[in-house]
Amino acid sequence: MSRPWPLPDKPWIMHQTWNDLLFAHWPIPVELLRPLLPPQLPIDTFNGSAWIGVVPFHMSGVRARGTPSLPYFSAFPEINLRTYVSINGKPGVYFFSLDAFHRAAVESARFAFHLPYLYAHIEVQVRDLHTVHYKSIRKDKRAKQGDFIGVYRPTSEIWLASPGTLDYWLTERYCLYCVDRRGKVFRGEIDHQPWPLQSAEASIEVNTLAQSFGIELPNIIPILHFSKKIDVKIWLLDPLNLS
């Protein structure tokens, strides 16, 4: 197991399966990113650099604990724009946005988890089992237009990232952090098996997710990872006392 700290001592509340996921990551100077995050959140770095991730995938098997998956609510695509923060020795994810093609999921996640979910029209086609054609067009007036159009696929056999490597640092994170309107910081725990990673290639035609938040990505080839499928358990948010 890659999990770096024990499971929460309370039951998980939601199960999700994430499918055909791409991690696309770009390094970015900390000083450029710092003004864009809540000041309460310390930016996590690898070799002195912060990182921005664009992560498209599609969900299935979404259900609350003890309930079956319901047809309308259990499967939909999502793409998120993220960076990384760490509090009290627990490295986690901070989301700038999570675009989803499911209006009810967008509004419920904004309310229950204080997460910046946005509505987008998303099309996903998986061809030849592994080649993913992904198109996300934001349709939410709560944020500037941020779109993603690309094709990606794995290029290697499955492998597990080793602790201490950049691959591990970018992917093996078992919590998220968010801040509510009053400035209160919350941590949300998640759990899954170690990521079954594959090296990947991608042809990205449009990627304005970062620009919609004033982030200019460097003009370099991103670091790419693919994962076919992983099951995830999610816990309720815990408020943190940082004073």
Side-chain angles (χ1 to χ4, degrees):
M1 291 291 293
S2 290
R3 186 178 180 85
W5 60 84
L7 288 169
D9 57 0
K10 58 185 178 181
W12 55 270
I13 63 163
M14 183 177 292
H15 171 275
Q16 301 175 350
T17 299
W18 300 346
N19 305 281
D20 298 304
L21 182 145
L22 176 73
F23 291 105
H25 281 104
W26 292 261
I28 188 166
V30 174
E31 60 270 21
L32 297 183
L33 199 59
R34 180 67 272 174
L36 304 177
L37 269 69
Q40 307 95 313
L41 300 181
I43 294 175
D44 201 3
T45 62
F46 189 91
N47 288 342
S49 180
W51 290 78
I52 290 288
V54 172
V55 182
F57 62 104
H58 59 101
M59 291 189 190
S60 61
V62 178
R63 62 179 179 85
R65 186 183 181 96
T67 66
S69 297
L70 300 176
Y72 173 70
F73 292 97
S74 65
F76 54 90
E78 178 179 313
I79 183 169
N80 61 63
L81 177 71
R82 58 201 271 178
T83 191
Y84 303 105
V85 300
S86 184
I87 296 178
N88 296 334
K90 290 188 175 183
V93 178
Y94 173 79
F95 294 103
F96 288 99
S97 63
L98 306 97
D99 290 60
F101 191 24
H102 196 302
R103 292 188 185 275
V106 165
E107 300 307 325
S108 60
R110 290 181 73 94
F111 175 78
F113 289 94
H114 307 298
L115 291 173
Y117 266 87
L118 299 166
Y119 179 72
H121 185 276
I122 304 177
E123 300 174 7
V124 184
Q125 296 182 2
V126 182
R127 303 176 186 174
D128 303 323
L129 295 180
H130 296 297
T131 301
V132 184
H133 294 248
Y134 204 100
K135 180 178 181 180
S136 176
I137 307 298
R138 185 176 291 161
K139 300 292 185 180
D140 200 310
K141 295 181 179 179
R142 289 171 290 199
K144 294 181 180 179
Q145 193 69 18
D147 306 328
F148 179 91
I149 301 173
V151 179
Y152 56 89
R153 68 180 186 90
T155 59
S156 75
E157 298 298 318
I158 293 172
W159 47 276
L160 302 180
S162 299
T165 65
L166 178 59
D167 300 317
Y168 184 98
W169 188 92
L170 291 171
T171 59
E172 293 293 341
R173 292 181 176 257
Y174 292 85
C175 68
L176 63 86
Y177 292 97
C178 59
V179 180
D180 69 8
R181 294 181 179 179
R182 300 169 297 172
K184 183 68 176 178
V185 178
F186 294 83
R187 178 189 288 127
E189 299 272 0
I190 70 169
D191 188 55
H192 53 73
Q193 293 294 314
W195 279 101
L197 296 176
Q198 294 172 266
S199 301
E201 65 181 16
S203 175
I204 300 175
E205 180 181 344
V206 176
N207 180 20
T208 57
L209 289 167
Q211 289 179 357
S212 71
F213 291 92
I215 302 168
E216 291 295 330
L217 297 177
N219 186 25
I220 60 174
I221 297 174
I223 292 177
L224 301 173
H225 300 92
F226 178 88
S227 190
K228 184 64 179 177
K229 181 178 179 180
I230 198 165
D231 293 317
V232 181
K233 294 180 175 65
I234 298 171
W235 278 259
L236 279 173
L237 296 177
D238 291 315
L240 301 184
N241 184 4
L242 302 180
S243 58

